Amino acid sequence: MPELPEAENIGRALKRTICGETITAVEVFTPSMRTPLLPLASAGLPGRKIVDVRRRARYLVAELDDGRGLLMHFGMSGVIRVEGPEVPRRKHEHVFIHLSNGKIFRFECTRRFSLLEIHPGCGNGAFPEVLAKLGVEPLTSGFNGSMLFEALQKRRGCIKNAIMDNSIVVGIGNIYANETLFICRIDPRRSACEVTWDECDMIAQTAKKVLERAIACGGTTISDFKNVDGSEGKFVQELQIYGKAGEKCPVCQTVIESVRLGGRNSFYCPECQK
């Protein structure tokens, strides 16, 4: 599933390739993905100019010159490409947005869990109302030890699920939560309310570094993720704990174990993360 670093890389690529272009036509080949797609065909998009692309959590918004925005989420298998019309349509490409430079914005999603919608209220750098309840962005100064410590005081669930809670902080998905807690030497099963202020500060600072490194590597490709240019994320080569159950810990050589937390596979070293 594309997480924050993957969404950030897609957004940066789209900013380079579609900003400044005018939409000339829209083709919808499938009635719906997570939500209906047919409204895109009648939304009056031809003639509208794309003026910006920005990210909020794992969502992207392509701002149009009339203040509306195309809201995108990539679900489990969403892939965006910007290619010429000479490339045949792939089986699971559900929407084509034709651009004034002759290229086509193409949205592919094998499992149809992705989202592509038109929303008002996106002018001047704003985000649509549906994203209003999301928590703080992890790469901003608002995500720090004090903020996290305060948010965890009444959380009796495990720390890993807490830092993945989008009402607290957005975009720290399963891969990056595993990596962050391993670097911090914190057991992912530990009660969130028992984590100290110093540990919260370490989690916040470490999560920033992990996410920034993943962004620099183009994200993490485990199975489906591909960037706009078709490249895969290279951070998979730097994973220390995620997906390593049964292998030896890179620090102490203890066998890495896994457990299901919040419906997700969680990986930890029983020695380093006591």
Side-chain angles (χ1 to χ4, degrees):
M1 170 181 212
E3 299 181 8
L4 185 152
E6 292 76 53
E8 179 70 19
N9 273 279
I10 295 170
R12 291 180 183 183
L14 290 179
K15 198 175 183 74
R16 293 191 300 267
T17 55
I18 70 174
C19 277
E21 301 300 328
T22 298
I23 297 171
T24 59
V26 177
E27 294 182 277
V28 177
F29 304 104
T30 306
S32 65
M33 291 192 291
R34 186 192 307 180
T35 59
L37 292 171
L38 292 176
L40 294 172
S42 57
L45 297 180
R48 300 269 62 90
K49 186 177 182 179
I50 300 168
V51 298
D52 190 25
V53 177
R54 53 186 175 273
R55 180 191 57 77
R56 178 76 169 102
R58 301 177 195 177
Y59 292 87
L60 294 180
V61 171
E63 179 185 340
L64 305 179
D65 61 357
D66 63 356
R68 295 183 296 168
L70 282 166
L71 180 66
M72 306 168 229
H73 190 283
F74 306 103
M76 298 292 291
S77 58
V79 176
I80 288 176
R81 298 179 182 88
V82 180
E83 298 174 322
E86 71 280 359
V87 180
R89 175 182 165 246
R90 299 167 180 87
K91 179 180 179 180
H92 298 291
E93 287 183 329
H94 306 304
V95 177
F96 279 10
I97 298 178
H98 295 258
L99 305 172
S100 52
N101 63 358
K103 301 290 187 180
I104 303 173
F105 169 103
R106 310 155 73 114
F107 203 120
E108 178 185 43
C109 186
T110 304
R111 304 184 194 183
R112 299 191 190 181
F113 292 158
S114 297
L115 176 149
L116 183 63
E117 298 176 336
I118 187 75
H119 282 264
C122 297
N124 300 314
F127 290 95
E129 182 65 26
V130 294
L131 305 185
K133 294 183 179 180
L134 290 174
V136 67
E137 285 284 337
L139 298 179
T140 65
S141 60
F143 182 51
N144 54 55
S146 297
M147 170 266 163
L148 185 57
F149 183 73
E150 182 177 351
L152 298 183
Q153 291 312 289
K154 296 182 180 180
R155 297 269 175 166
R156 298 191 178 276
C158 69
I159 180 59
K160 178 169 174 281
N161 288 349
I163 64 173
M164 291 179 62
D165 185 339
N166 282 329
S167 68
I168 297 176
V169 56
V170 298
I172 303 180
N174 195 31
I175 294 172
Y176 304 108
N178 275 280
E179 294 296 303
T180 294
L181 293 175
F182 174 70
I183 294 169
C184 293
R185 306 296 186 255
I186 294 174
D187 191 324
R189 302 167 296 178
R190 190 167 155 197
S191 293
C193 60
E194 296 177 355
V195 178
T196 68
W197 187 96
D198 285 341
E199 289 172 325
C200 285
D201 188 57
M202 181 167 52
I203 288 171
Q205 298 308 315
T206 301
K208 291 176 191 286
K209 293 177 182 177
V210 169
L211 292 171
E212 287 168 350
R213 179 57 186 161
I215 291 169
C217 290
T220 305
T221 296
I222 301 296
S223 56
D224 296 317
F225 171 68
K226 286 184 174 58
N227 211 322
V228 174
D229 63 1
S231 62
E232 296 186 346
K234 300 300 190 294
F235 190 68
V236 65
Q237 300 170 7
E238 300 187 17
L239 295 176
Q240 298 186 68
I241 196 81
Y242 180 82
K244 306 288 187 180
E247 299 181 24
K248 291 183 178 180
C249 169
V251 174
C252 71
Q253 304 302 301
T254 300
V255 174
I256 295 168
E257 297 184 5
S258 66
V259 65
R260 295 282 286 181
L261 298 174
R264 299 177 178 89
N265 289 325
S266 301
F267 305 89
Y268 66 99
C269 172
E271 182 62 30
C272 291
Q273 294 173 268
K274 287 182 178 179

